Amino acid sequence: MKLDRLLIESVEGRILVGLVAFVATMVVVGWVAINEPARMEAFDQQFNGRSVERGGKMFNQNCSTCHGVDGRGQLGVAPGLNSPHLFGHSFTEALDDQIATLERELENAETAEAEQEIQTELTALQTERDGIVAQMQPAIDAGYTPETPDRMTQVAWEGTTRSYIYTTLVHGRPGSNSYWPGGMAAWGQTAGGPLRDDQLEDLTNYIMNWDKGDAWTIDDLNAVNQYSKLPADPALVAAAPADDAELVGTDVDAILTELEGHTGDPVNGQVLYTTYACIGCHNGVVAPATEEQWLDAVAGADGRPSADNPERYIVESIVLPNEYVVNGYNAGAMPLNFGERMSYQDMADVLAYISSFDG
C-alpha cells in the first residue's frame, strides 16, 4: 500500500478518525430516534388537519342543510352533531356520583345525628344539581334529556363514537324517515351512496374535530338547535298522514292526472324542499343543483327524457329516482319512498317551487 496517497498516513490517525465518525453517526442516529415520535406526531397532526379541512368542505356541501352550517342541527329536520350529547359529556356526572355515594351512606347511617348530617349534604347537592338542570332548559326544549347525556348509551352502542359516526355515514339510518322529515341516506359507495371510503374518513374526522372533551359548557349545550331522537319511542314517531291527505304513490301517469286539480304554492314548496331534506343533496355535487333542475329538464340536457314534458320528468325523478340517473351522478343516493310520504298537494307545491327556476 502506498501510504503517501492516503489522506491520513498513520494507522493511529485513521483509527481516531474512524472512532470520531462512528461516534458522530451514533449521535445523529440517537438524535433522530429521540425526535422521531415528535416528528411523527407533527406529521399526523398535519395529515389530520388536511383531512378535517376536506371533510369540512364536504360537510358544507352535503350535510349542512339538514345538520346546520355550524353542525348544531335544524329544529325538526335533523339533530346537531356539534353537541356534547353526541360526544357523551355529562354536566352532572360528578354530582351524580357524589349523590349516589351519599345515598348509600344514608342507608347505612348508624345514628340519627349521622343520618341528619348526610341528609343535609345530600339535599345541598341535589339542589345544586337541580340548578344545573334548570340552566339546560333550552336544550331540554330541543330534545335533550339530562338523564341520558351520552348518545352512545342512549342507543346502546358498544363501539366508539368515531365508529358510530362512520358507520352511520356509510349505511345511513334506515327507517329514520319515520321520525325525521327526510331519512338519513346511505353515503358510502359500498352501500350505494356517492362517497368513497377516504371521503367518509374525512367527514368523520371533521365531525370528531368538534369534540371539546371536558371543555364543553352549558352554553354549548343550549346552542344545539335539535337533539337526537330514539326511534323506539312511539311518542317520537311521526304521525300517519291524515285520511284526506292521499299519498301520491309511484304511478307517474296517475299522479300527473291528479295534479291537474291542484294549484302548487312555490313558497310552501320551498319549505317542503327543505323539510324533505332535498336541498341537502341537490347542490351539484351529490345530485343536480336545485336551480338547474327545471332548466335542464326543459332543455333535455345530458339526454334527459324531459324536453317534451318536464313536469313528468320531475315527478318521475321524485317518486322513481332510479328510472333515469343524470350523467355524472350515482343511483341510490335519493330515497325511494317519497311516493309513500308526499301528498298530492305536497307534490304540486314542490313542483311549483322547482319550476319557478325558469330563468
Side-chain angles (χ1 to χ4, degrees):
M1 179 182 295
K2 295 181 179 181
L3 297 179
D4 59 346
R5 299 183 62 182
L6 297 176
L7 292 177
I8 302 174
E9 296 183 2
S10 68
V11 174
E12 293 82 357
R14 295 200 295 273
I15 292 174
L16 179 62
V17 170
L19 288 173
V20 171
F22 175 77
V23 171
T25 300
M26 295 307 297
V27 168
V28 171
V29 170
W31 183 87
V32 171
I34 292 172
N35 288 276
E36 183 65 7
R39 190 186 72 83
M40 289 304 298
E41 182 179 355
F43 175 81
D44 289 343
Q45 290 176 350
Q46 292 172 1
F47 180 84
N48 187 66
R50 290 191 292 270
S51 175
V52 169
E53 184 178 354
R54 292 191 298 268
K57 292 179 180 178
M58 281 188 291
F59 186 90
N60 288 333
Q61 292 171 345
N62 304 319
C63 315
S64 61
T65 302
C66 294
H67 293 286
V69 174
D70 57 3
R72 291 187 171 122
Q74 299 280 7
L75 184 62
V77 176
L81 305 175
N82 181 5
S83 165
H85 184 232
L86 176 63
F87 295 102
H89 181 77
S90 173
F91 294 92
T92 62
E93 183 178 8
L95 283 173
D96 290 338
D97 290 343
Q98 294 178 56
I99 289 172
T101 298
L102 287 176
E103 286 175 341
R104 289 192 297 270
E105 292 179 1
L106 186 62
E107 292 177 357
N108 298 321
E110 296 181 354
T111 65
E113 182 179 358
E115 182 177 330
Q116 180 61 43
E117 183 178 345
I118 295 171
Q119 184 60 60
T120 299
E121 187 176 356
L122 183 59
T123 300
L125 289 176
Q126 289 171 332
T127 300
E128 182 180 355
R129 187 187 190 280
D130 291 342
I132 293 174
V133 171
Q135 296 176 47
M136 301 176 180
Q137 194 57 51
I140 294 171
D141 293 340
Y144 179 72
T145 305
E147 285 68 33
T148 53
D150 183 2
R151 177 62 173 168
M152 301 305 102
T153 301
Q154 188 184 47
V155 296
W157 181 259
E158 297 295 335
T160 64
T161 303
R162 171 179 286 277
S163 66
Y164 177 80
I165 294 170
Y166 182 82
T167 55
T168 301
L169 286 170
V170 172
H171 302 290
R173 193 167 294 289
S176 58
N177 60 296
S178 65
Y179 49 98
W180 294 117
M184 172 73 178
W187 287 92
Q189 289 182 351
T190 56
L195 300 184
R196 304 185 306 269
D197 289 347
D198 62 299
Q199 293 174 311
L200 296 172
E201 287 285 356
D202 290 342
L203 261 177
T204 300
N205 287 336
Y206 177 70
I207 295 170
M208 288 295 298
N209 195 55
W210 274 319
D211 187 12
K212 294 184 178 182
D214 292 330
W216 289 102
T217 67
I218 292 182
D219 286 340
D220 293 326
L221 186 79
N222 290 335
V224 177
N225 299 311
Q226 175 66 64
Y227 279 89
S228 303
K229 298 179 180 180
L230 276 176
D233 186 346
L236 299 176
V237 176
D243 292 338
D244 59 350
E246 185 180 358
L247 303 180
V248 297
T250 57
D251 187 330
V252 177
D253 290 327
I255 295 172
L256 290 170
T257 299
E258 181 67 26
L259 286 179
E260 293 177 0
H262 292 75
T263 300
D265 176 2
V267 176
N268 188 55
Q270 183 176 11
V271 174
L272 291 170
Y273 200 79
T274 298
T275 301
Y276 283 117
C278 310
I279 198 170
C281 291
H282 283 282
N283 50 27
V285 178
V286 179
T290 301
E291 61 272 13
E292 298 173 0
Q293 291 179 85
W294 181 256
L295 296 175
D296 286 343
V298 171
D302 295 328
R304 289 173 175 81
S306 57
D308 295 334
N309 195 338
E311 290 89 352
R312 178 186 179 85
Y313 170 77
I314 296 297
V315 169
E316 182 182 79
S317 296
I318 293 173
V319 299
L320 297 171
N322 291 331
E323 288 297 301
Y324 174 81
V325 179
V326 176
N327 185 39
Y329 299 98
N330 295 315
M334 184 164 170
L336 302 176
N337 61 352
F338 280 117
E340 302 169 6
R341 298 163 58 193
M342 297 181 71
S343 68
Y344 283 102
Q345 189 58 56
D346 284 351
M347 180 65 77
D349 292 348
V350 170
L351 183 59
Y353 170 63
I354 293 174
S355 62
S356 68
F357 294 93
D358 58 3

